[in-house]
Amino acid sequence: MSDFNDSLIDVSSDSFWEVGNYKRSVKRVDDGNRLCNDLMSCLHERARIEKSYSTQLTDWAKRWRQTIEKGPQYGTVERAWCALMTEAEKVSDLHMEVKAALMAEDFEKIKNWQKDAYHKQMIGGFKETKEAEDGFRKAQKPWAKKLKEMETMKKAYHTACKEEKTATSRENSSKLDNSNPEAQKKLQEKVEKCQQEVQKTKERYEKSLEDLDKVTPQYMENMEQVFEQWQQFEGKRLSFFKEVLLEVKQHLDLSSNHKYTTVYHTLQDTIQGADPQEDLKWFRSNHGPGMTMNWPQFEEWSMDLNRTLSRRETKRRPAEGVTLTAISHNPEQSSRVSSAAVEKAPAPAAITAADDDDDEESGNPFSSSSANGNPFEEEPSTEMCVPVRAVYDYEGQEQDELSFKAGDELVKLSEEDEQGWCKGRLSNGTVGLYPANYVEDLQ
């Protein structure tokens, strides 16, 4: 190796054929290995992005599905809205599949190909790099040696020419100065000697150039063979990269995935299936004039019932075993409350359809009006005083119930009872009952 380094001369151009310029072809072998690492890093980063996007879609869908299901939207339009969440969940799954394909298939394929194509040496570097270096060095060494000899002969010839010109110049100056004949004779002999040296070095230079020309064709052939060998090696890498990139494209292109197309066909069908008129009809039947009603009827006095109970007491004491008489039940009553209505926004606990249809009895302890109509204002205040905020709108259905809007702040004056009701005070001082699950604590 040191002999070869000694034979190297200064590169005079950027041509591949110049001594040492084959090293760019050798470096390409190392570059190929590095590019494999770069491509794997590229795919690994994209896989992380796919996973992150999938996670964000899932979180978004979960959060908004809960919001919609707890909100006031209902019916087919609710299903259409929730279909967006379903789309996000399914697309999230598809992006996780993309992430898995990038890592389990494409990343591993590149890794295995790299392992088979580039073999590390114990002393460092790759076996292929050393083979390329040795191949080019061997092909170039004979020509480089002749080139160095030629350069030496050329230098000698140019030096002789320079000395001959100097000697001739001195001889001419001596003649003009009329120097003594002996000095002129010595100068003339010097010129003749230099001319002979010029002729001799010229012949050697020409001979070395001829020798170089003779080995040049073989040099070019050998270099071509080595270069073509590593062209084929690099060609395999380029073809492999193209193949992998096409597979990556297939994994990333969800538009060609039938499952992805199905997601949006389903989404469109669900949205198109929304029927506003049907939703209005459902609301009318379940929350409007279409609801059944247990209209007031004459009730006989009973020994088992000393007094009739108000709706509030029925709500708060449903298990006391009190028997109500002379209450006729509508056979359609069991169908009043639909499953869709039960699934919607929070409702005061333990309120049944029968509770809603009970009459406002004359025995209601709150029926006697006080100065301001609030039966709680004369009650002694409790020790509890917890600030709360309304999460949903609530319209009081009875005299002793509070009404508020979402966002209103009030004070909780008692703990939640067994039926889910609390006593509270509004900012205007009104005291009454409200459903506990319609508010949240501010503390």
Side-chain angles (χ1 to χ4, degrees):
M1 188 70 178
S2 59
D3 293 339
F4 176 67
N5 289 335
D6 293 340
S7 69
L8 295 180
I9 62 173
D10 294 337
V11 177
S12 58
S13 75
D14 198 39
S15 172
F16 165 77
W17 301 106
E18 293 290 348
V19 175
N21 279 0
Y22 66 81
K23 290 187 179 296
R24 291 175 299 191
S25 297
V26 175
K27 183 177 180 296
R28 189 170 60 165
V29 178
D30 290 331
D31 289 344
N33 177 73
R34 182 177 64 83
L35 289 169
C36 287
N37 290 333
D38 289 346
L39 183 54
M40 285 191 289
S41 296
C42 176
L43 297 185
H44 185 257
E45 185 175 338
R46 177 59 185 267
R48 289 202 307 268
I49 293 173
E50 295 290 333
K51 181 179 179 180
S52 176
Y53 181 52
S54 173
T55 302
Q56 291 181 50
L57 281 177
T58 300
D59 293 343
W60 175 83
K62 180 179 180 181
R63 185 174 66 256
W64 275 99
R65 186 182 294 278
Q66 292 175 348
T67 300
I68 295 167
E69 290 176 349
K70 292 180 180 179
Q73 185 57 62
Y74 55 89
T76 59
V77 173
E78 178 189 4
R79 289 198 294 272
W81 192 349
C82 285
L84 294 179
M85 282 65 263
T86 302
E87 175 268 345
E89 292 163 350
K90 292 185 179 298
V91 171
S92 172
D93 292 340
L94 290 175
H95 280 281
M96 283 299 289
E97 291 179 9
V98 171
K99 177 261 180 184
L102 289 175
M103 293 305 298
E105 298 180 32
D106 303 327
F107 184 92
E108 287 299 320
K109 186 173 184 178
I110 300 169
K111 183 179 179 180
N112 293 332
W113 187 90
Q114 181 189 37
K115 184 177 179 181
D116 293 337
Y118 301 94
H119 301 84
K120 291 184 178 180
Q121 299 184 113
M122 294 292 292
I123 59 175
F126 295 98
K127 174 185 175 183
E128 290 70 25
T129 303
K130 186 176 185 303
E131 289 178 355
E133 174 72 30
D134 291 345
F136 281 116
R137 180 167 58 89
K138 184 177 179 181
Q140 195 172 74
K141 186 174 182 179
W143 187 83
K145 183 177 180 180
K146 291 293 183 181
L147 178 64
K148 184 176 181 181
E149 292 175 358
M150 184 274 294
E151 290 290 340
T152 302
M153 294 300 103
K154 181 175 71 172
K155 184 176 181 180
Y157 168 64
H158 290 173
T159 300
C161 289
K162 182 178 179 181
E163 291 179 353
E164 188 269 339
K165 184 176 180 180
T166 301
T168 302
S169 178
R170 288 177 179 175
E171 181 188 19
N172 292 336
S173 297
S174 176
K175 290 178 180 180
L176 294 175
D177 294 341
N178 295 320
S179 301
N180 61 70
E182 185 176 351
Q184 289 184 5
K185 183 179 180 181
K186 288 182 179 181
L187 290 172
Q188 187 177 4
E189 290 175 354
K190 178 67 175 175
V191 169
E192 291 174 356
K193 185 177 180 180
C194 287
Q195 289 175 344
Q196 292 174 2
E197 186 65 21
V198 167
Q199 185 60 33
K200 187 187 300 184
T201 55
K202 181 179 180 181
E203 291 174 358
R204 290 175 182 172
Y205 175 37
E206 290 174 343
K207 177 66 168 59
S208 66
L209 196 56
E210 290 176 3
D211 292 343
L212 182 64
D213 290 341
K214 288 179 182 179
V215 300
T216 296
Q218 186 64 46
Y219 162 65
M220 295 179 67
E221 181 180 347
N222 293 342
M223 291 290 284
E224 281 275 5
Q225 289 178 352
V226 178
F227 182 79
E228 186 58 32
Q229 175 186 349
W230 297 103
Q231 277 285 86
Q232 293 176 7
F233 181 82
E234 174 67 3
K236 291 178 181 178
R237 184 191 69 80
L238 295 173
S239 297
F240 172 73
F241 269 37
K242 179 181 178 180
E243 176 186 342
V244 170
L245 291 172
L246 285 173
E247 292 179 4
V248 171
K249 178 265 176 188
Q250 286 297 110
H251 293 146
L252 296 177
D253 185 9
L254 291 179
S255 65
S256 63
N257 189 323
H258 72 279
K259 291 189 289 186
Y260 189 76
T261 305
T262 302
V263 168
Y264 291 99
H265 285 165
T266 303
L267 175 61
Q268 180 173 349
D269 291 344
T270 304
I271 296 174
Q272 290 286 8
D275 188 342
Q277 294 304 317
E278 184 65 26
D279 291 352
L280 293 174
K281 181 180 179 181
W282 175 90
F283 194 88
R284 177 184 179 86
S285 298
N286 289 275
H287 300 289
M291 296 178 68
T292 57
M293 175 62 181
N294 215 4
W295 298 105
Q297 298 183 28
F298 180 79
E299 298 180 9
E300 289 289 353
W301 178 85
S302 172
M303 290 291 295
D304 296 330
L305 183 64
N306 292 328
R307 63 184 180 88
T308 56
L309 300 178
S310 69
R311 269 185 246 174
R312 169 64 58 233
E313 290 178 307
T314 303
K315 293 173 186 174
R316 301 182 67 178
R317 295 189 298 161
E320 292 182 357
V322 177
T323 303
L324 299 181
T325 61
I327 298 179
S328 62
H329 295 279
N330 190 321
E332 298 178 356
Q333 184 174 347
S334 60
S335 64
R336 267 188 70 245
V337 180
S338 69
S339 59
V342 173
E343 293 176 357
K344 292 309 297 176
I351 296 180
T352 63
D355 290 331
D356 286 338
D357 289 334
D358 283 345
D359 296 328
E360 186 76 359
E361 300 293 344
S362 59
N364 190 338
F366 302 115
S367 60
S368 60
S369 59
S370 60
N372 56 9
N374 189 332
F376 286 108
E377 288 198 354
E378 295 182 0
E379 294 183 8
S381 61
T382 64
E383 294 181 359
M384 175 174 290
C385 189
V386 179
V388 295
R389 178 186 292 116
V391 181
Y392 309 98
D393 295 349
Y394 183 72
E395 186 69 28
Q397 302 298 311
E398 298 185 14
Q399 182 182 2
D400 60 334
E401 294 181 10
L402 298 178
S403 297
F404 47 76
K405 299 291 185 181
D408 289 352
E409 295 186 5
L410 54 154
V411 176
K412 181 168 69 173
L413 301 177
S414 70
E415 291 289 354
E416 178 181 352
D417 64 17
E418 294 180 355
Q419 305 307 316
W421 292 85
C422 288
K423 185 167 73 173
R425 182 174 62 245
L426 297 177
S427 59
N428 63 6
T430 303
V431 177
L433 297 176
Y434 64 87
N437 57 348
Y438 272 58
V439 303
E440 60 182 3
D441 291 350
L442 291 177
Q443 294 183 345

